[in-house]
Amino acid sequence: MTDEKKKVDYERVIKEPRVFFFILCVTFAFIVILSRPQGFVKGLDIAGGIQVIIAPDVEQGVIVPEDDMILVKDVLTARFNRYGLANIPIRLAGDLLTQNSYLVVDFPDTDRQTVANLTKQQGKFSAKINDKWVFNKTERVYTDAQRSQVGRTDGGGFMFQFGVDVDEDAGKRFKDATKDCEVIGDDLEEKCKLELFIDGKSLSNLTINAELKGRIVTSASVQGGGTTKDEALANMKNLQTILSTGALPVKLKTVALNEISPKLGEGFLMKAIMAAAVSLMGVALVVFLRYRRFRIVVPLVCTAISETIIIIGMANLIGWEISLSAIAGIIAAVGTGVDTQIIITDEMLRGEYVQAKVYGWKARLKRAFFIIFAAASTTISAMVPLAFVGLGAVKGFAITTTLGVLVGVIITRPAYIRIMENVL
Amino acid sequence: MSDNGWEAKWNNAMEYYDTNYKKLMLIPLIMLLAGFVIIYTFPVERDIDLKGGTRLEIVTVPQKDLLTIEQQLGAAIGVDVRARILSSQGSNKQLVIELGKSFAEDEQPQLIKNVETVLGVTLTDNFNIRSMDPSIGANALAGAQRAVLIAFILMGTIIFLIFKQPMISGAVMLAAFSDIVETYALMGFLGIKLSLHTIAALLMLIGYSVDSDILLTTRVVKRKEGRVVERIFSAIKTGLTMEATTLTAIFAIYFISDAIVLKEIALVMFLGISVDVLNTWIQNAGLLKWELERKEVSK
């Protein structure tokens, strides 16, 4: 180790293109982070809520076309909006390696019954009279106060009813089904009742007014009840939602249901960030113990910190989800970066580069870059296949690590080498 | 000067290594064989994201002992229950309850009520629950297996492209392979479950192992100055620094964070790096030295 205390020409170092670019990136990232707090999307792990993963309920081996799943997504989105839950993230996720399609829905704190109602009901509406099918969907569902109401029943419970319209053809079928019915008093006979079904389950059984016999009727009323007023209201709202948004093209089943407490999630985030900060300090300590020269330790640690800032900035810019695994990915990427920088530093320290300045320099640089690319490519080749697996968790880790490694190779490492050249 | 004490030890170690390196290589070999045996006798279990099931993470200090909780809850639900405590420095202890069955929306409220009764604690914002159907678990497992296979093929190709010579590439791949086998064995032995995140940790491990092998090989093969063993030991010096930094990060994550996912990733990486020390610096280095000396002799 040479004892020549080389004076570091800071100005010259900063003006070097690679170093300048690096500093530019860090500053830019800093500005992005500070000015765009909304860019940080919190993943479920941290924000909390209920996550439901839905799959088509079909036999093994049956493949549901993607278009059907897109339609499911649209119907569900409509249902959520109708019900009053706006902006529920729902995404189609596929395990590319096994070709199954799933829908991942992230609800904020909601009760499970609502979740079940909104996602599991297929919503096939049908009606029959005297064993003949007359209606198979609704054209309009009425939710206004005139045509939908809740009232008490004699038995102490509550009932609701709301109007629905059906199309012309359905109306004609109604006419055909009722024209031969006998009239008893004000209504049609016992067997000519209008039975409404949803998903095959009987909804209501209505007697038909004698006036409607043989007529084209395009409206009906759906009835139901509940033990309390709230329950009746909830049931009515649920039915109105399901009927108005239409039936799902395929039956669905829940394959995963996760509930994360926001409070716990917040705690996890804090601890993870603390762990990252302590890691950085620990690394600084180790590096100092090994090299003991500030002119090595300072650039090494500073580039590591800067790299972290750049990665976080990028995550913010592209709206990447902050999750626990993403944080782990950042720590992994920066850790790999620090290791590579240690290798480079040692390469540059070794030997009598004072004498071999010209030839040895070039060879050393070439070797340093070779090491960078080699190390980076092994990490990336491990992470890229992983990015296609699973429905979010590990994806975050894989993508963040890959991103971090790329930032390191393209931005940080070249700058670091240039800095070290001038400092050693 | 205290330096002399260290230097002398370093030099002694180096000389010992120079003469005995072939015998020393038996150690990693025995470890590898032991690894296979352990994998067979302590098979690694799959976590819920690979086989389905339910896990509850509750922030509470249980008043009853774990066995009682398992029995009472098991009786109430009719499914086998496993309970354990997860703790981290100066923070909330978590009770982790695992069940082999998945619970959908209509079944979960009852499950939660049962847990509340057994524990005597109300579950509001102090718990997480994850429940996965076996079908999605099997799907994730199939995907993970394919990803690992693709990763191996890619990494193998890159290793060949980097090192070019079959002998050296073989040594690097052997080191990575040994790392994985031995870490996997330790996972089975210690009861760490295989999950998507632990698989990710194992893949990161390969990357790390190859990094240290790149260091070793670059120093030893591409340089010509000094004796082989001197070059090996200079690489060890760098390698130990790398390990120290990585281990500090891992310890920080393991002891400070209280999320199961992060702790398990840290634990697997710790085991892997510890194992990698012997595989890289004794086995891989030994093989390199052997190969270089063979070439010397044949000149």
Side-chain angles (χ1 to χ4, degrees):
Chain A
M1 255 157 282
T2 172
D3 267 302
E4 263 179 43
K5 269 253 160 50
K6 208 169 108 174
K7 275 218 96 166
V8 180
D9 189 350
Y10 291 109
E11 262 197 53
R12 212 188 96 214
V13 173
I14 295 180
K15 287 209 190 112
E16 297 265 4
R18 296 188 214 161
V19 181
F20 189 67
F21 178 55
F22 175 64
I23 298 180
L24 208 68
C25 288
V26 182
T27 327
F28 184 61
F30 218 64
I31 297 175
V32 164
I33 295 173
L34 289 179
S35 65
R36 284 189 79 222
Q38 73 274 21
F40 288 121
V41 177
K42 284 189 179 175
L44 187 84
D45 267 8
I46 295 173
I50 295 192
Q51 182 182 71
V52 188
I53 302 185
I54 302 169
D57 193 358
V58 290
E59 294 290 316
Q60 254 295 3
V62 172
I63 304 221
V64 174
E66 178 141 3
D67 284 341
D68 276 0
M69 289 311 282
I70 295 179
L71 182 58
V72 170
K73 176 173 167 222
D74 291 340
V75 171
L76 287 181
T77 311
R79 281 188 189 178
F80 301 150
N81 285 328
R82 252 327 187 108
Y83 195 80
L85 297 171
N87 291 327
I88 300 276
I90 169 171
R91 59 187 168 99
L92 203 57
D95 198 307
L96 284 180
L97 296 174
T98 56
Q99 292 182 335
N100 286 351
S101 258
Y102 297 101
L103 279 170
V104 182
V105 189
D106 293 330
F107 288 96
D109 243 326
T110 319
D111 77 279
R112 285 179 176 72
Q113 193 52 48
T114 312
V115 170
N117 289 344
L118 291 175
T119 57
K120 293 259 276 273
Q121 287 185 274
Q122 199 169 2
K124 272 210 163 73
F125 172 74
S126 49
K128 65 178 180 185
I129 299 176
N130 201 6
D131 265 350
K132 300 195 198 96
W133 291 105
V134 291
F135 301 154
N136 57 12
K137 65 176 161 65
T138 58
E139 283 296 302
R140 254 202 90 161
V141 173
Y142 291 97
T143 52
D144 57 300
Q146 282 181 324
R147 276 171 286 202
S148 73
Q149 51 215 198
V150 176
R152 276 185 190 280
T153 60
D154 294 331
F158 289 81
M159 66 159 268
F160 66 82
Q161 69 170 28
F162 59 93
V164 295
D165 284 347
V166 293
D167 59 33
E168 277 288 316
D169 289 333
K172 288 195 188 121
R173 287 196 289 272
F174 181 93
K175 168 179 149 191
D176 290 334
T178 54
K179 63 181 193 234
D180 297 322
C181 292
E182 281 195 31
V183 177
I184 303 183
D186 282 333
D187 304 314
L188 295 184
E189 61 175 313
E190 194 55 36
K191 64 178 181 178
C192 282
K193 276 203 176 152
L194 182 64
E195 261 190 282
L196 300 179
F197 295 88
I198 187 154
D199 288 332
K201 278 204 318 231
S202 181
L203 199 56
S204 37
N205 230 322
L206 308 167
T207 41
I208 304 177
N209 198 299
E211 284 185 358
L212 302 174
K213 172 176 166 168
R215 299 252 297 265
I216 295 180
V217 170
T218 52
S219 58
S221 103
V222 175
Q223 295 174 350
T227 41
T228 65
K229 187 165 181 213
D230 283 337
E231 195 185 320
L233 264 171
N235 287 342
M236 180 171 86
K237 194 171 168 200
N238 175 52
L239 269 179
Q240 285 170 326
T241 308
I242 302 291
L243 290 176
S244 65
T245 53
L248 295 167
V250 63
K251 205 155 151 254
L252 300 176
K253 62 176 176 180
T254 307
V255 285
L257 182 63
N258 302 325
E259 177 173 10
I260 311 290
S261 147
K263 188 158 148 242
L264 287 191
E266 187 78 25
F268 289 160
L269 178 65
M270 288 295 117
K271 289 273 170 63
I273 294 181
M274 211 192 321
V278 170
S279 300
L280 221 46
M281 292 194 283
V283 166
L285 186 65
V286 169
V287 169
F288 180 69
L289 286 174
R290 164 74 204 277
Y291 296 112
R292 296 188 196 265
R293 290 157 70 183
F294 277 116
R295 55 172 58 195
I296 297 181
V297 174
V298 168
L300 219 159
V301 175
C302 284
T303 38
I305 299 178
S306 311
E307 190 170 308
T308 320
I309 297 179
I310 295 180
I311 299 177
I312 297 178
M314 280 191 75
N316 183 321
L317 217 56
I318 62 179
W320 184 242
E321 219 176 62
I322 308 269
S323 62
L324 289 177
S325 58
I327 295 182
I330 296 180
I331 299 180
V334 175
T336 311
V338 167
D339 280 351
T340 318
Q341 276 167 211
I342 292 175
I343 298 181
I344 295 174
T345 312
D346 278 3
E347 277 295 296
M348 290 180 141
L349 276 178
R350 268 193 51 86
E352 304 73 10
Y353 59 81
V354 177
Q355 288 122 313
K357 222 169 188 152
V358 175
Y359 175 73
W361 220 213
K362 289 250 160 80
R364 215 156 256 123
L365 271 189
K366 236 176 69 174
R367 195 144 54 224
F369 270 108
F370 167 79
I371 293 173
I372 299 175
F373 282 123
S377 50
T378 45
T379 310
I380 294 181
S381 62
M383 291 293 109
V384 165
L386 210 56
F388 294 112
V389 171
L391 300 166
V394 142
K395 249 187 173 115
F397 179 80
I399 296 184
T400 321
T401 312
T402 309
L403 218 75
V405 169
L406 286 175
V407 164
V409 170
I410 299 174
I411 305 179
T412 322
R413 231 62 68 217
Y416 180 73
I417 294 181
R418 191 61 90 214
I419 296 177
M420 281 293 110
E421 275 177 24
N422 285 295
V423 157
L424 287 175
Chain B
M1 275 205 298
S2 58
D3 260 346
N4 263 340
W6 272 117
E7 261 194 61
K9 287 204 182 94
W10 190 260
N11 287 330
N12 287 340
M14 204 160 69
E15 297 309 321
Y16 181 80
Y17 190 93
D18 203 13
T19 22
N20 294 307
Y21 74 97
K22 286 188 192 163
K23 277 189 278 182
L24 284 174
M25 285 208 284
L26 278 179
I27 303 178
L29 187 64
I30 294 175
M31 273 170 41
L32 182 60
L33 294 173
F36 282 122
V37 172
I38 295 180
I39 290 179
Y40 187 70
T41 47
F42 292 88
V44 175
E45 250 190 74
R46 281 178 282 148
D47 204 354
I48 65 170
D49 59 354
L50 293 180
K51 78 169 181 202
T54 306
R55 180 169 71 224
L56 290 116
E57 302 154 22
I58 308 165
V59 176
T60 179
V61 181
Q63 301 299 328
K64 307 179 182 167
D65 67 284
L66 295 179
L67 202 56
T68 316
I69 296 177
E70 287 178 358
Q71 285 168 348
Q72 288 184 342
L73 195 55
I77 316 176
V79 177
D80 273 342
V81 177
R82 294 241 294 259
R84 57 189 168 108
I85 303 270
L86 188 80
S87 67
S88 46
Q89 285 320 85
S91 98
N92 311 312
K93 292 214 186 311
Q94 280 178 55
L95 173 66
V96 178
I97 297 179
E98 279 157 337
L99 310 156
K101 184 167 136 33
S102 67
F103 290 78
E105 303 97 355
D106 39 339
E107 302 161 307
Q108 278 192 10
Q110 185 56 44
L111 170 67
I112 294 176
K113 275 213 187 68
N114 283 327
V115 173
E116 285 180 330
T117 314
V118 168
L119 290 182
V121 168
T122 337
L123 296 181
T124 49
D125 62 353
N126 53 354
F127 83 112
N128 286 341
I129 179 171
R130 280 169 229 266
S131 189
M132 311 211 126
D133 198 65
S135 66
I136 197 176
N139 181 62
L141 181 64
Q145 285 168 335
R146 255 175 258 199
V148 169
L149 190 63
I150 297 176
F152 276 158
I153 295 176
L154 278 177
M155 287 176 128
T157 318
I158 291 185
I159 290 174
F160 259 112
L161 290 174
I162 296 175
F163 296 104
K164 302 199 179 87
Q165 296 175 49
M167 233 313 259
I168 302 177
S169 312
V172 172
M173 289 201 275
L174 179 63
F177 177 73
S178 309
D179 280 355
I180 301 276
V181 166
E182 290 157 27
T183 310
Y184 194 74
L186 284 170
M187 280 170 71
F189 189 70
L190 296 173
I192 303 175
K193 301 210 189 93
L194 190 70
S195 62
L196 286 179
H197 52 273
T198 46
I199 290 180
L202 286 172
L203 287 176
M204 286 290 310
L205 204 53
I206 305 183
Y208 178 86
S209 165
V210 174
D211 276 2
S212 57
D213 290 325
I214 290 174
L215 165 65
L216 176 66
T217 316
T218 319
R219 284 287 172 82
V220 172
V221 172
K222 300 203 175 172
R223 285 168 174 266
K224 302 300 168 202
E225 69 262 9
R227 296 148 62 198
V228 173
V229 71
E230 280 172 357
R231 299 189 324 244
I232 291 179
F233 267 65
S234 92
I236 291 181
K237 204 160 152 207
T238 309
L240 285 181
T241 317
M242 281 163 62
E243 243 141 51
T245 53
T246 313
L247 283 179
T248 1
I250 287 178
F251 282 152
I253 297 175
Y254 184 77
F255 287 112
I256 297 180
S257 159
D258 51 6
I260 294 185
V261 166
L262 291 181
K263 284 173 99 83
E264 285 185 347
I265 291 180
L267 191 53
V268 170
M269 294 246 25
F270 169 71
L271 296 172
I273 291 177
S274 313
V275 161
D276 181 62
V277 171
L278 290 169
N279 283 326
T280 302
W281 305 113
I282 298 187
Q283 182 183 73
N284 198 345
L287 287 171
L288 277 182
K289 185 158 151 57
W290 202 334
E291 173 70 5
L292 285 176
E293 285 182 355
R294 200 179 57 88
K295 281 203 181 133
E296 272 293 319
V297 170
S298 66
K299 268 195 192 149

